[in-house]
Amino acid sequence: MTRAAGRPRRTVPTRRTTELVLVLAAVLIAVLGYAAVGLTVDGTVPADAGGYGAALGVTALLAHGAVRWKAPYADPLLLPIALLLNGVGLVVIYRLDRATPGNAAPAQLLWSTLGVGLFVLVLLLLRDHKRLQRYAHIGALAALVLLVLPIFFPPVYGSRIWITVGPLSLQPGEFAKVLLAVFFAAYLAVHRDALALTGRRVRPGRSGLRRLPPGRVLAPVLAIWAAFVGVLVLETDLGTSLLFFGLFVVMLYVATARTGWIAVGLFLAAVAAVGVGWLSPHVHSRVNDWLDPLGSIAEGRGANQIAQSLFAFAWGGELGAGLGNGHSALIGFAAKSDFILATIGEELGLTGLFAVLLLYALLVSRGFRTGIALRDPFGRLLAIGLAALVGLQVFVVAGGVLDLIPLTGMTLPFVAQGGSSVVTNWIIVALLVRMSDAARRPAPGEER
């Protein structure tokens, strides 16, 4: 029987037109926000608003063109969400430039353009995500080297996480997290059955951690993880340590489907956090600020950054004070990086804050959906791991700024000032786009 006489061919829409409309909407929102800041602060639209909109639009269309050409079946929401978050970040940084010393917005626009360029480059060069599995161990070694390098540079605000060469500064931990996700995905894809089904029995039951995996299987991955965490502790980089540990636990749970790994991970994280908080004065001071954010006011030293952040959220209310009408300068030196979410909460209110967090939730959920749809174990683990990286980083940043957990000094993906961060997150989105194209692409013989 011929194909025509058999079951009908399945039509798989590419949704590229939907993506194009959403991309243009994201650019329009960013340009309108840019104009709104100028109208509020100066009473007129910025003179370079047209050039800013044109540059942003051309960059966005180039990214969309690359997806349409090289990944036509990719998820239509991934690129627009990334562009909108990046655009919101550029607007808020430009607004903060008007209230605090510095001129960070042009530099952030340049880094964002570089990030989109790497996004396009990844789509052009990486035709199959499974090729990354061959270089997983080399990538892990490169990631460890990247994390070790900042030890030889002076600390910045109490942490050794930066490499500074003249006017250029990089945070290598941002790039290392992607390489580490690739390594974990490759290793767990091969050894997931041994981690889940073999080893010494701990307790009977249908769920949870019933067996301890064989030492020869678990030891290598634990050694790699311990090496990374040890280096990060030496650098007093609590945020990245927490991020890497969370990634390890999430991917181990996805690979084995054993909820007991989550319990073990939370216990080990609590023990490590208590130990580092007790031994490191830098981390200990952040724990004290978390436990008593208004303590500095009672002691007569004025409001610290956490207190100013909480005041900003309270002042914003439900709808916000409006772009340009906040008092973000009171937060201090980290207003454009660690505490940029406080500016969003103050000037866009609870509504704007929820909108930004929902964009992150949607981005993470589409990454999880991509992982579930992929058939190969490596791709499934990598997609879920990369999406979890974004989600964990947002949780750590938002939790610290809202005083739910101690402040860790990380950057909000796509939004906060930081060239290393924005470039790395664009690479993450490129990998998710590539994998979503593989997940949604029709099988041979099916129509477009």
Side-chain angles (χ1 to χ4, degrees), residues 41-423:
V41 178
D42 301 323
T44 182
V45 176
D48 60 347
Y52 168 79
L56 198 61
V58 169
T59 303
L61 290 176
L62 286 175
H64 168 72
V67 176
R68 183 180 288 270
W69 179 28
K70 289 296 184 179
Y73 294 95
D75 191 313
L77 295 183
L78 292 172
L79 177 60
I81 292 173
L83 285 170
L84 182 54
L85 287 170
N86 205 163
V88 169
L90 289 170
V91 170
V92 177
I93 292 173
Y94 169 70
R95 181 268 173 278
L96 290 171
D97 278 346
R98 310 305 305 273
T100 59
N103 193 26
Q108 187 72 1
L109 179 60
L110 181 62
W111 282 111
S112 300
T113 304
L114 177 60
V116 174
L118 290 176
F119 169 90
V120 173
L121 190 63
V122 169
L123 292 182
L124 293 178
L125 298 181
L126 184 65
R127 298 185 178 183
D128 187 355
H129 64 274
K130 291 188 287 293
R131 293 182 179 179
L132 296 174
Q133 192 170 4
R134 306 173 188 172
Y135 309 102
H137 291 80
I138 297 176
L141 180 61
L144 185 58
V145 171
L146 287 174
L147 288 178
V148 169
L149 286 178
I151 294 178
F152 304 101
F153 291 82
V156 179
Y157 301 123
S159 298
R160 295 180 181 271
I161 59 177
W162 295 94
I163 295 176
T164 304
V165 180
L168 181 65
S169 60
L170 294 174
Q171 191 173 347
E174 291 288 337
F175 303 100
K177 67 184 183 183
V178 179
L179 297 174
L180 187 61
V182 173
F183 167 75
F184 279 144
Y187 189 87
L188 294 175
V190 174
H191 299 285
R192 66 187 189 280
D193 291 336
L195 288 168
L197 303 176
T198 63
R200 180 177 298 178
R201 183 177 293 274
V202 178
R203 64 175 179 82
R206 295 184 178 181
S207 63
L209 185 61
R210 294 185 298 171
R211 295 177 181 271
L212 287 176
R216 67 180 183 277
V217 176
L218 191 58
V221 72
L222 283 177
I224 293 292
W225 169 80
F228 278 93
V229 173
V231 171
L232 292 170
V233 169
L234 291 176
E235 297 172 352
T236 61
D237 186 7
L238 180 61
T240 307
S241 301
L242 183 61
L243 182 66
F244 283 5
F245 186 82
L247 173 67
F248 174 75
V249 173
V250 167
M251 297 186 71
L252 191 58
Y253 167 70
V254 172
T256 62
R258 299 302 181 194
T259 55
W261 285 117
I262 298 179
V264 172
L266 291 175
F267 172 75
L268 292 176
V271 171
V274 171
V276 175
W278 182 263
L279 297 175
S280 171
H282 176 67
V283 177
H284 186 67
S285 65
R286 289 187 169 183
V287 173
N288 288 337
D289 290 340
W290 166 57
L291 295 175
D292 188 10
L294 304 182
S296 61
I297 300 176
E299 296 172 0
R301 295 185 287 111
N304 58 26
Q305 287 181 310
I306 291 293
Q308 293 288 2
S309 174
L310 296 177
F311 294 156
F313 285 117
W315 179 256
E318 295 180 357
L319 299 178
L323 279 173
N325 288 324
H327 301 83
S328 305
L330 297 175
I331 295 177
F333 66 89
K336 301 173 187 176
S337 53
D338 300 12
F339 288 91
I340 196 168
L341 199 64
T343 300
I344 294 175
E346 180 180 13
E347 302 194 355
L348 299 181
L350 187 64
T351 303
L353 182 63
F354 275 2
V356 171
L357 294 179
L358 283 174
L359 285 174
Y360 283 118
L362 187 57
L363 179 63
V364 173
S365 68
R366 303 304 284 198
F368 286 165
R369 181 175 179 178
T370 294
I372 293 172
L374 284 168
R375 296 178 179 87
D376 64 293
F378 170 74
R380 183 180 302 116
L381 285 167
L382 181 58
I384 293 176
L386 293 175
L389 271 176
V390 177
L392 288 169
Q393 190 159 339
V394 172
F395 167 76
V396 169
V397 174
V401 173
L402 290 166
D403 200 41
L404 300 177
I405 61 175
L407 189 67
T408 57
M410 299 190 70
T411 55
L412 193 65
F414 291 109
V415 175
Q417 177 189 5
S420 304
S421 176
V422 72
V423 167

